């Protein structure tokens, strides 16, 4: 499919560098098999990971050089970070900001998915953190797009 357009592959629930190293090694094995079989594929396909555990956010500085992008899964990240206390958003925002800084410092982009991405009171916060993409369900696209357009990052 990668020869027909832009394709990205995202791996979920990454919790360690060694786990990501194994996944990337498998990707190289698959590429070798495709070459051996004469199957054409694109080497420009982006590889990324979900940041959905506190461990992934904390080691995001080590994971970022290995991938093209992060996608923060806010629902799982919130659940795993706060357990039953879902009323303390500061911890989640700090993990997201840490991941954004580490992604950008290593040439990767970062997006947010999950319910938090559609939380328009946080849109400006996310943009100031450097979040590159907000992935929301279709019902929230116009509302989030309007919120993005109303943010002045020069202030």
């Amino acid at each position: 499919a990668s020869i027909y357009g832009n394709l990205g592959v995202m791996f979920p629930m990454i919790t360690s560098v060694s786990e990501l190293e194994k996944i990337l090694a498998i990707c190289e094995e698959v590429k070798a098999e495709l070459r051996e079989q004469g199957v054409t594929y694109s080497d420009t396909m982006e590889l990324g990971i979900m940041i959905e555990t506190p461990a992934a956010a904390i080691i995001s500085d080590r994971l970022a050089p290995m991938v093209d992008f992060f996608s923060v899964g806010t629902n799982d990240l919130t659940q795993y970070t706060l357990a039953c206390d879902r009323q303390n958003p500061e911890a989640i925002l700090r993990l997201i900001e840490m991941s954004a800084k580490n992604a950008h410092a290593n040439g990767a982009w970062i997006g947010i998915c999950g319910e938090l991405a559609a939380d328009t009171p946080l849109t400006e916060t996310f943009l100031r953190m450097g979040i590159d993409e907000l992935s929301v369900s279709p019902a929230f696209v116009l509302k989030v797009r309007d919120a993005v357009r109303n943010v002045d990052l020069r202030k």
Side-chain angles (χ1 to χ4, degrees):
S2 65
I3 62 171
Y4 298 108
N6 297 332
L7 178 69
V9 175
M10 181 170 51
F11 301 103
M13 293 308 237
I14 301 302
T15 59
S16 70
V17 170
S18 63
E19 184 177 40
L20 183 54
E21 288 172 338
K22 288 176 188 171
I23 290 169
L24 295 175
I26 291 169
C27 288
E28 290 305 314
E29 289 174 19
V30 170
K31 287 179 184 180
E33 289 175 14
L34 292 173
R35 278 192 301 275
E36 197 174 284
Q37 296 170 9
V39 176
T40 306
Y41 66 92
S42 173
D43 263 335
T44 62
M45 179 176 62
E46 288 187 316
L47 297 178
I49 62 169
M50 293 289 295
I51 301 290
E52 50 196 336
T53 66
I58 292 167
I59 63 168
S60 60
D61 62 324
R62 297 180 60 207
L63 298 170
M66 303 169 70
V67 296
D68 300 304
F69 68 93
F70 287 160
S71 182
V72 180
T74 58
N75 295 349
D76 285 334
L77 184 61
T78 299
Q79 182 66 29
Y80 294 129
T81 302
L82 302 178
C84 64
D85 173 19
R86 295 182 69 119
Q87 303 304 313
N88 183 358
E90 186 178 338
I92 301 306
L93 293 175
R94 291 189 69 181
L95 289 173
I96 293 170
E97 184 173 30
M98 178 191 316
S99 299
K101 286 179 181 176
N102 289 328
H104 291 149
N106 289 282
W109 62 269
I110 183 168
I112 293 179
C113 61
E115 292 175 27
L116 216 50
D119 191 342
T120 54
L122 289 173
T123 301
E124 182 172 350
T125 300
F126 293 145
L127 296 177
R128 291 196 183 284
M129 285 179 184
I131 299 301
D132 301 299
E133 174 183 280
L134 297 170
S135 177
V136 299
S137 58
F140 294 102
V141 169
L142 295 178
K143 184 173 110 173
V144 171
R145 183 170 50 189
D146 186 53
V148 168
R149 287 180 174 164
N150 288 311
V151 172
D152 184 358
L153 294 176
R154 296 172 291 184
K155 292 181 184 178

